[in-house]
Amino acid sequence: MLTNNAPIYNYMPSEGIEKIHDTTMRVLEEFGIAFNHDEAVDILERAGCQVDRDAIPAPLVKFPREVVMEQIAHAPREFTMYARNPANNVTIGGDHMVLAPVYGPPNVQDLDKGRREATLEDYGNFIKLAQTAPDIRNAGGVVCEPNDQPQETRHLDMMHALLTLSDKTFMGNVVSGENANDCVELAAIVFGGREKLAQTPAMLSLINVNSPRLFDTRMLDSLFTYARARQPLLITPFILAGAMSPVALGGSLVQQNAEALAGIALTQLISPGAPVVYGSFLSNSDMQSGSPAFGTPESAAALLVSAQLARKYNLPFRGGGGLTSSKAPDGQAMWEATMTLWPTFLAGTNFVLHAAGWLESGLASSYEKFVMDIELCRMMQVFRGGIALDAEGLALDAFEEIGPGGYFFGAAHTMRHFRDAFYRPLLADVQNYVRWEQKGSETADVRANRVWKKWLREYEQPPLDPGILEALNEYIVKRKIEIQV
Amino acid sequence: MLTNNAPIYNYMPSEGIEKIHDTTMRVLEEFGIAFNHDEAVDILERAGCQVDRDAIPAPLVKFPREVVMEQIAHAPREFTMYARNPANNVTIGGDHMVLAPVYGPPNVQDLDKGRREATLEDYGNFIKLAQTAPDIRNAGGVVCEPNDQPQETRHLDMMHALLTLSDKTFMGNVVSGENANDCVELAAIVFGGREKLAQTPAMLSLINVNSPRLFDTRMLDSLFTYARARQPLLITPFILAGAMSPVALGGSLVQQNAEALAGIALTQLISPGAPVVYGSFLSNSDMQSGSPAFGTPESAAALLVSAQLARKYNLPFRGGGGLTSSKAPDGQAMWEATMTLWPTFLAGTNFVLHAAGWLESGLASSYEKFVMDIELCRMMQVFRGGIALDAEGLALDAFEEIGPGGYFFGAAHTMRHFRDAFYRPLLADVQNYVRWEQKGSETADVRANRVWKKWLREYEQPPLDPGILEALNEYIVKRKIEIQV
């Protein structure tokens, strides 16, 4: 598992963090958060919140700061997630980083077939890529939308793929409480029953806030289901500043903080001590066009500050990824992805959704960019590893051997270390121009195209007990019939 | 001028920095540095160094640590460089960052004509681009090699272009002491004589160490000329770890530090208090092919530590840029450039050579990448600016106005700030896929192609006194005749 050696980068001085915290508390106390969910409102009222049930568009809950702070203190600082292959268990929180693929795109894209609606085959392909890439430690959730399957039952198809094509941790469906329950039931089949599953959480689910300041019914139904099943939740305000929050980073961070803490407090009231992650998905709108913009300097700054806030509250943090607004896996795609991945790693982000494959403001999962992003994540992991300053790291014997103007290629120290000394690129081409031209002047996307095909060819399905597979299939068939009646 | 608000990122703990320092002192004392230059050796010997004049390949100088530390303490912490347009004066050191274009490529590349040998026309074009881009505060030196001009006199053509096409600070030629003297004479014509020029340094010159541990004659001749003319020097070890230094970052940083400090000590012995910059150009070799590799995680880490060392010695720091090994302005080019520019800005680098236009491991100046890199530099400048937490930054009035589930586009706070709130991209495309496709599915390099042409069209030559222009021309004609006799 990836742990951090290079220090965390604290972008904002602590007085700034305290100012954001204080303003957040004012927003929770004075403006409140709306919850479109009676049970949630009841629970929050009993905990000491002030409730206005007639507020539009949904009941408004004002949180005394003591209530929020007391509840979020119940959440664990870090927790373990269990994979059906124990070698793939992961820790969320602390110094650990867990990378997961892109989440949510309705389309896929590759150099051969261009951009198109995603299918279940694509879905399976991205799960296979996530399973194959050792850097990816959570196989993901909606790696793309399998649009060739009926909307009402496709969560079952996705869970089947997640549980059979991969043996890593994964993500649950949040389209409705009923879907969430199916996910829990299916996971329970694999993990030895609901009780066992509650003790060995296996799936993490993404609860988005309908920012500004609104939790909607379906998300809250899912939140209740997963919190009660003790499956971890990412509480993530969905913010494009200027549209879903003020056109200023300070206010946007306050709003995000208020929304995330309110949701986290609710999870702890439902299920004290349940694993939960402070989520950030905060970029800005392009104020000329109103379009979302990714890989911006504002989003980089906001990401670093969001992580500082999560650390202040002793909560695991989710943020960042390889985000971009580009429509092709070109220069823009990669400068924007790198613009986001640097702060992601500098922040010590504990769970990185969208770490690989995101393209087109999240509207397409790109096969090529999946591989390109993996290259970036690998490099950032090496960067986080720090510099050795022991005898071999300082290499004084090499200075003894190689005099002024000499070459170190043949030094004994080089012979001892050249194999592992430096990062070996997956895609980056370092050949000279003539050789590169002779080999077809391939740009990075073309080389990436070869790599993902190779990974799919080399993919090996992890073994699964035939009895479990049969039980999964039975459940899915039964539920498809029930749903489609 | 660009100053830093976001904090510096200290990658290595201070004990690590002290260990590198101590080991550096041992290398200077026990292994020494070779200087292929009698006068340099004489000066160093008089200062208390031990000299072995018969060493191969050049006289070897061992530096007692007191000598090094005493001499480098004479160098100024920061200094001003004077442009012929005073609005373009810059400070080197402290919190300031000065960006300069790519330096050294024999080739140029653009999407229209592909890759080819650079000409004087290309040279002029890159100077014009550097003059036009407000982010670039030093017009550069060898923005590309004007290969259509005779090698012996092309430094005169380059200086003519620098002094007539731009009114920003610039860089001097270092091919020989004689060339350096021509640069000083030409600059003196523009700046009111050699004495005035010494008081208002106008050009910065790049002294590369022939690493490992060797200063060669031509570079030292140039160093002497510029140090005596009080024109600033960048002392930069040229290190690809594994080839010119050990295959370990710790030892490579030690070697770089020893070389840089030795060169800086020499400048201070020649001309106490002369402006000088601690330079780093440290990447690693690809150990499979032996090729140089840029934008690597190792180079990012080394850059941050190099800046920490320069700060320890109270010296201005040069490092980083938009480095890449890619042969095209593609995804690789931009992830590698961003991989280098992030640490460049996090380190608070005072002088950034190669900030725009570098391609192909420095063998080609790319017109398109020049523009793409400017986009990155602009974003990083916004990132460094920090987050405002005053009343307008926190935007509480916007929360009062916009309720749960609302949109902030129409808020009064948004109306006040939307024009300047967020970074406006130069190249990044945020349109949706359909509109992007309708407009021709242009990748970032294609859009950059349009921008640099627009910049060249809009370029305005800065005025220059006709008498000065005549004097420059006369000097150059006279020298061309002398040299070509």
Side-chain angles (χ1 to χ4, degrees):
Chain A
M1 198 162 352
L2 174 57
T3 54
N4 299 323
N5 290 308
I8 298 292
Y9 178 57
N10 288 314
Y11 180 81
M12 184 170 276
S14 54
E15 314 88 72
I17 296 296
E18 288 312 309
K19 185 151 196 184
I20 291 178
H21 168 73
D22 286 339
T23 315
T24 301
M25 294 298 133
R26 275 189 61 191
V27 167
L28 285 167
E29 288 177 336
E30 297 171 24
F31 297 102
I33 307 287
F35 290 82
N36 207 350
H37 199 279
D38 290 339
E39 192 178 0
V41 173
D42 292 345
I43 289 175
L44 290 165
E45 190 171 38
R46 280 200 301 276
C49 296
Q50 289 170 15
V51 170
D52 173 3
R53 286 179 196 268
D54 303 323
I56 301 292
L60 189 66
V61 179
K62 292 183 177 171
F63 291 75
R65 64 181 71 199
E66 305 75 40
V67 173
V68 182
M69 296 308 286
E70 189 193 327
Q71 290 308 322
I72 66 169
H74 297 313
R77 204 186 184 112
E78 65 178 63
F79 55 87
T80 301
M81 289 192 65
Y82 297 82
R84 69 178 176 87
N85 175 356
N88 290 328
N89 291 355
V90 293
T91 305
I92 310 280
D95 286 340
H96 305 279
M97 290 187 76
V98 172
L99 309 181
V102 60
Y103 184 102
N107 305 294
V108 294
Q109 190 185 111
D110 66 48
L111 291 191
D112 306 305
K113 292 187 269 179
R115 180 192 192 254
R116 67 227 183 238
E117 279 213 331
T119 65
L120 189 58
E121 188 189 345
D122 292 309
Y123 186 89
N125 283 342
F126 277 98
I127 299 300
K128 289 177 184 173
L129 292 175
Q131 172 71 10
T132 305
D135 315 277
I136 298 292
R137 298 304 303 270
N138 179 297
V142 190
V143 289
C144 59
E145 274 286 343
N147 286 304
D148 56 343
Q149 303 303 312
Q151 206 160 2
E152 301 73 23
T153 56
R154 73 171 67 133
H155 67 287
L156 300 166
D157 303 308
M158 291 194 264
M159 277 296 283
H160 188 267
L162 283 167
L163 290 166
T164 60
L165 300 179
S166 168
D167 58 7
K168 298 183 176 179
T169 60
F170 57 94
M171 299 179 72
N173 190 284
V174 295
V175 168
S176 68
E178 204 184 350
N179 281 14
N181 190 60
D182 282 333
C183 294
V184 173
E185 290 293 336
L186 285 165
I189 291 170
V190 174
F191 284 83
R194 286 187 76 122
E195 207 163 310
K196 181 78 194 305
L197 180 66
Q199 289 152 20
T200 58
M203 73 188 137
L204 186 74
S205 300
L206 173 60
I207 303 299
N208 273 131
V209 185
N210 190 348
S211 304
R213 296 161 48 220
L214 174 63
F215 282 82
D216 67 24
T217 312
R218 287 159 169 264
M219 281 288 174
L220 287 171
D221 282 344
S222 301
L223 181 150
F224 271 85
T225 305
Y226 288 121
R228 283 175 173 148
R230 306 289 284 191
Q231 300 304 298
L233 291 164
L234 303 176
I235 309 293
T236 307
F238 184 97
I239 297 183
L240 295 162
M244 294 87 131
S245 75
V247 70
L249 283 189
S252 299
L253 285 159
V254 164
Q255 180 186 316
Q256 170 186 271
N257 200 34
E259 294 171 353
L261 295 183
I264 291 165
L266 176 62
T267 61
Q268 298 306 306
L269 284 162
I270 297 167
S271 190
V276 63
V277 178
Y278 181 111
S280 169
F281 182 87
L282 200 177
S283 194
N284 58 285
S285 306
D286 176 86
M287 296 309 288
Q288 280 67 58
S289 63
S291 301
F294 293 101
T296 65
E298 289 82 8
S299 65
L303 172 54
L304 290 162
V305 177
S306 301
Q308 288 181 261
L309 288 163
R311 273 194 299 281
K312 172 183 164 65
Y313 303 122
N314 290 319
L315 293 166
F317 175 67
R318 171 250 157 150
L323 311 186
T324 176
S325 301
S326 183
K327 271 61 70 182
D330 64 347
Q332 180 186 341
M334 298 321 290
W335 85 58
E336 290 180 339
T338 316
M339 277 294 293
T340 317
L341 281 171
W342 260 83
T344 302
F345 278 80
L346 288 178
T349 306
N350 302 119
F351 189 81
V352 185
L353 198 57
H354 314 303
W358 165 293
L359 199 66
E360 205 197 308
S361 299
L363 293 176
S365 300
S366 160
Y367 284 86
E368 282 81 22
K369 185 152 175 296
F370 188 96
V371 179
M372 294 160 92
D373 288 342
I374 293 286
E375 173 96 308
L376 286 176
C377 291
R378 287 187 183 176
M379 285 196 286
M380 290 309 299
Q381 289 174 43
V382 169
F383 173 80
R384 301 285 305 175
I387 296 176
L389 295 180
D390 56 358
E392 288 299 294
L394 290 170
L396 283 182
D397 69 303
F399 293 120
E400 216 147 329
E401 188 180 347
I402 307 298
Y407 275 95
F408 285 81
F409 281 133
H413 177 273
T414 306
M415 291 297 115
R416 291 200 298 280
H417 296 288
F418 78 95
R419 278 182 199 80
D420 315 311
F422 302 134
Y423 173 68
R424 285 198 190 200
L426 174 63
L427 284 177
D429 186 293
V430 296
Q431 298 175 97
N432 68 38
Y433 188 87
V434 172
R435 214 171 304 170
W436 176 77
E437 203 180 24
Q438 283 166 351
K439 287 196 179 174
S441 304
E442 289 181 342
T443 48
D445 51 348
V446 175
R447 299 192 299 272
N449 180 274
R450 257 204 312 278
V451 174
W452 69 258
K453 288 175 181 167
K454 179 168 180 282
W455 285 358
L456 284 187
R457 276 198 310 275
E458 291 173 359
Y459 163 80
E460 286 180 32
Q461 186 161 7
L464 180 64
D465 178 279
I468 289 177
L469 181 60
E470 205 185 313
L472 284 177
N473 290 338
E474 265 174 33
Y475 182 93
I476 287 171
V477 168
K478 188 192 73 173
R479 284 291 294 145
K480 283 195 174 179
I481 292 167
E482 287 172 13
I483 293 169
Q484 285 165 344
V485 162
Chain B
M1 198 164 350
L2 173 57
T3 54
N4 298 323
N5 290 308
I8 296 293
Y9 179 56
N10 288 314
Y11 180 82
M12 184 171 276
S14 53
E15 315 86 75
I17 297 296
E18 289 311 309
K19 185 150 194 184
I20 290 178
H21 168 73
D22 285 339
T23 315
T24 300
M25 294 298 133
R26 274 189 62 192
V27 166
L28 284 168
E29 288 176 336
E30 296 171 24
F31 297 101
I33 307 288
F35 290 82
N36 206 349
H37 198 281
D38 289 339
E39 193 178 358
V41 173
D42 290 344
I43 288 174
L44 291 164
E45 191 171 37
R46 279 201 301 275
C49 296
Q50 287 172 15
V51 170
D52 172 3
R53 289 180 193 269
D54 302 324
I56 302 291
L60 188 67
V61 178
K62 293 183 177 170
F63 290 75
R65 65 181 70 200
E66 304 74 40
V67 173
V68 181
M69 296 308 286
E70 191 194 324
Q71 291 308 321
I72 65 170
H74 297 314
R77 204 185 185 115
E78 65 178 65
F79 56 86
T80 301
M81 288 192 67
Y82 296 82
R84 70 177 174 88
N85 175 354
N88 289 328
N89 291 355
V90 294
T91 305
I92 310 279
D95 286 342
H96 305 280
M97 289 186 75
V98 172
L99 310 181
V102 59
Y103 183 102
N107 305 294
V108 293
Q109 191 186 110
D110 66 49
L111 292 191
D112 306 305
K113 293 187 269 177
R115 179 190 192 257
R116 65 224 183 242
E117 280 215 331
T119 64
L120 188 58
E121 187 188 345
D122 293 309
Y123 186 88
N125 284 341
F126 277 97
I127 298 300
K128 289 176 185 175
L129 292 173
Q131 171 71 11
T132 303
D135 315 277
I136 297 292
R137 298 304 303 272
N138 180 297
V142 190
V143 289
C144 60
E145 275 287 343
N147 285 304
D148 55 344
Q149 303 303 313
Q151 205 159 4
E152 300 72 25
T153 55
R154 70 171 69 132
H155 66 287
L156 299 166
D157 303 308
M158 292 194 262
M159 277 296 282
H160 188 267
L162 283 166
L163 290 167
T164 59
L165 300 178
S166 167
D167 59 7
K168 297 184 177 180
T169 58
F170 57 94
M171 299 179 71
N173 191 285
V174 297
V175 168
S176 68
E178 203 183 349
N179 281 14
N181 189 60
D182 282 332
C183 294
V184 172
E185 290 293 336
L186 286 165
I189 291 171
V190 174
F191 285 82
R194 287 188 76 124
E195 208 162 310
K196 180 83 193 306
L197 180 67
Q199 288 152 18
T200 59
M203 74 187 135
L204 185 75
S205 300
L206 173 60
I207 303 300
N208 273 132
V209 185
N210 190 349
S211 303
R213 294 160 51 219
L214 173 63
F215 281 83
D216 65 25
T217 311
R218 286 160 170 264
M219 283 286 174
L220 287 171
D221 282 343
S222 301
L223 182 150
F224 270 86
T225 303
Y226 288 120
R228 283 176 172 149
R230 305 290 283 192
Q231 299 305 297
L233 291 165
L234 304 174
I235 309 294
T236 307
F238 185 98
I239 296 183
L240 295 162
M244 293 87 129
S245 74
V247 70
L249 283 188
S252 298
L253 284 159
V254 164
Q255 180 187 315
Q256 169 187 271
N257 201 35
E259 293 171 352
L261 296 182
I264 291 166
L266 176 61
T267 62
Q268 298 305 307
L269 284 163
I270 296 168
S271 189
V276 63
V277 177
Y278 182 111
S280 169
F281 182 88
L282 199 177
S283 193
N284 59 285
S285 306
D286 176 85
M287 297 309 287
Q288 280 67 58
S289 63
S291 301
F294 294 100
T296 65
E298 290 82 7
S299 65
L303 172 54
L304 289 162
V305 177
S306 301
Q308 288 181 261
L309 289 163
R311 274 195 297 284
K312 173 184 163 65
Y313 303 123
N314 290 319
L315 293 166
F317 175 67
R318 171 250 157 149
L323 311 186
T324 176
S325 301
S326 183
K327 269 62 70 184
D330 65 347
Q332 180 187 339
M334 298 321 292
W335 84 58
E336 290 181 337
T338 317
M339 278 293 292
T340 317
L341 280 171
W342 260 82
T344 301
F345 278 79
L346 289 178
T349 306
N350 301 118
F351 189 81
V352 185
L353 197 58
H354 314 303
W358 165 294
L359 199 67
E360 205 199 309
S361 300
L363 292 177
S365 300
S366 160
Y367 283 87
E368 284 81 21
K369 186 153 175 292
F370 188 95
V371 178
M372 296 161 91
D373 288 341
I374 292 287
E375 174 96 308
L376 286 176
C377 290
R378 288 188 182 177
M379 286 197 283
M380 291 309 299
Q381 289 174 42
V382 170
F383 173 79
R384 300 287 304 178
I387 296 176
L389 294 181
D390 57 0
E392 289 299 294
L394 290 169
L396 282 183
D397 69 303
F399 293 119
E400 217 148 327
E401 187 180 346
I402 307 298
Y407 275 95
F408 286 82
F409 281 134
H413 177 274
T414 306
M415 291 297 114
R416 291 201 297 281
H417 296 289
F418 78 95
R419 277 181 200 81
D420 314 310
F422 301 136
Y423 173 67
R424 285 197 189 201
L426 173 65
L427 284 178
D429 185 294
V430 297
Q431 300 175 95
N432 67 37
Y433 188 87
V434 173
R435 211 171 307 170
W436 176 76
E437 204 180 22
Q438 282 166 351
K439 288 197 180 175
S441 303
E442 289 181 342
T443 46
D445 50 346
V446 175
R447 299 192 299 273
N449 181 274
R450 258 204 311 279
V451 174
W452 68 258
K453 287 176 182 167
K454 180 168 178 283
W455 285 357
L456 283 187
R457 276 198 311 276
E458 290 174 359
Y459 163 79
E460 286 179 33
Q461 186 161 5
L464 181 63
D465 179 280
I468 289 177
L469 181 60
E470 204 186 315
L472 285 177
N473 290 339
E474 265 174 32
Y475 183 92
I476 288 172
V477 168
K478 187 192 74 172
R479 284 291 293 145
K480 282 195 175 179
I481 293 168
E482 286 173 10
I483 293 169
Q484 285 165 344
V485 161

